Amino acid sequence: MTPEPHEETPIAPGPLEDHLTRAEASAFLERKGIRMKATTLARAYSTGSGGPPCRHIRNKPYYPLDLLTAWAEAQITAPVTSSSERQRLKREARRPETSHAR
């Protein structure tokens, strides 16, 4: 009797399919019009200077695609006709909502 050849069990797609390495995240952002090298992403993470959120798996950073997409979209402003209009919109976005409830 001959033994049956060993068949590898296919690995089900896991959550890492939706996670990008720094190099992949850099290329993804470039396609969105945001130029950030992998080294810039690393520096933004280490200094906490407003880069996209990432997760670590055994000390290696991965960028969840949904969070990376949301972060990239937040970097792009609405169309404006002047720099003063852009500054006004930034001020209004930072202003806390005031409640007029009595």
Side-chain angles (χ1 to χ4, degrees):
M1 199 153 92
T2 51
E4 292 185 28
H6 181 300
E7 290 184 34
E8 283 192 32
T9 306
I11 298 174
L16 282 185
E17 280 189 356
D18 293 339
H19 288 63
L20 304 177
T21 64
R22 279 202 173 121
E24 293 167 337
S26 175
F28 175 83
L29 290 172
E30 177 101 23
R31 290 190 300 273
K32 296 278 189 186
I34 300 169
R35 297 178 72 187
M36 289 185 83
K37 292 181 180 180
T39 55
T40 305
L41 289 170
R43 185 172 41 255
Y45 175 78
S46 68
T47 61
S49 60
C54 68
R55 292 192 170 116
H56 283 75
I57 299 171
R58 295 190 55 100
N59 295 326
K60 184 170 181 178
Y62 289 92
Y63 293 83
L65 192 53
D66 58 340
L67 298 178
L68 189 60
T69 300
W71 182 87
E73 289 170 358
Q75 305 308 301
I76 301 169
T77 67
V80 293
T81 58
S82 68
S83 60
S84 59
E85 181 182 5
R86 180 172 180 253
Q87 293 301 318
R88 181 182 56 77
L89 291 173
K90 282 175 69 174
R91 281 192 307 274
E92 289 174 2
R94 286 192 305 250
R95 195 175 298 157
E97 290 188 32
T98 56
S99 174
H100 296 292
R102 293 177 189 214

